[in-house]
Every structure is written in structure tokens, then in C-alpha cells.
Amino acid sequence: MWKAALIGTAAVALVATAFSPQATAAEGTPPPGRIQIDVVSVNGSGCPAGTAAVAVAGDNTAFTVSYSNYLAQVGVGSKPTDFRKNCQLGLNVHVPQGYTYAIAKADYRGFAHLQSGATGLEKASYYFQGMQQTTSTNHRFSGPFSDDWQTTDVTDVDALVYAPCGVQRILNVNTELRVSAGTSDPASTTSFMAMDSADGSVNTLYHFEWKQCS
């Protein structure tokens, strides 16, 4: 019963903010025109076919990716491969001419139940197709722990990686959950980590940083 309650729907949204070395008041809002986001690919054990969906906000400020089966676990009732789950999203973000964007901040949330001695890992990375620059972060958790978890990744302004102006590039967003039994007893206990909350109501936010192209 507890597994059914915990494998809920997690949401991922990208929220627009503004930045430019020479920002103006006009740049404090999302670009004009409709921003279209096409899901080019959804791959990984954390988002098998039919378990991830995307919805774009009508005001160009966000889009939501909903997961329904993103959970890593070890112990009783687990398969040998369940200790690690991942998801890679390939997103084609159609930005109006004259603008570009980067991901400046990401707030991840979920629920974890880790036995004493067990550990959990949440990892994320973002990069544009054909570009070497990759932003990657990871966060570790230690048992005993049984509660909602939250992590925040912030990229310094000088380290922001923008999509190239005038070129359409796929934005790849990779996430991973990993659980290790450690010194706990996997023969009699279960530890898990999910990319959602117990009630499925919290969101994971990816914040845009905008600037105008020359």
C-alpha cells in the first residue's frame, strides 16, 4: 500500500526569469510570441514509455513534465536493477528570434525512505546537443530518513551555458536516483527514493535565465 501511495506524479516545470549583461525593463518578461517545446525523446528506466507527459504553460513561463513511475529501491521486493533509475529528456525549445536562454536554477523534490546505514543519491545534468559544456550536480542522503527531500542547484552567472543564438539545439536534461543498502539488511528491509512526494503535489522547478542575442 505504501508503495502505491508514494509512486505518485512528480512535476517538472521551467520558470522564466530575466538576465542580460545590459538588461532592460523589456527583458524582465518572457520573450514575446508563443514558446513551443517539443519532446524529442524520453528514455530511461525512471520514465518508461507512457509514464512521462509534457504540458506547456500558456503564458510562456513554464512547462511541466509529469512522471508516474520514478522510484529507485533496494531490499525486500526489489529487483537487482532497481537500485538505480534514470531519465533523459530531449527537449526542443523554440524560442522567438532574438532571444536565448540558459538554466540557472533547479529545485528537485521527492520522498525517500532510507533504513539506518542505507544511502541515496540524486543527480542531474543539463547540456545542449553538440556543446561540450555540461552543468552537473549531485546530492547524497543518509539513513535513517523517511520524509520529503528537496535539493536546489544554482549556477553562477559566469558559469551559465546559453543555447547558441540563431541555432536550434536540443536541450538534454538528465536525472538519476540511486539507492544503496550500505550497512542495512536488504534481506529484511527496504529502502527507496522517489522523484515525487507522498501526495504527488510538489513540483520540481527548472528556472530559465533569458538574454537577448546581438
Side-chain angles (χ1 to χ4, degrees), residues 37-60:
I37 301 175
D38 297 327
V39 180
V40 178
S41 62
V42 180
N43 297 301
S45 55
C47 52
T51 65
V54 175
V56 182
D59 60 0
N60 288 345

Side-chain angles (χ1 to χ4, degrees), residues 73-79 181 185-191:
Q73 63 178 10
V74 294
V76 178
S78 303
K79 298 177 182 178
D185 182 8
S188 61
T189 64
T190 301
S191 294

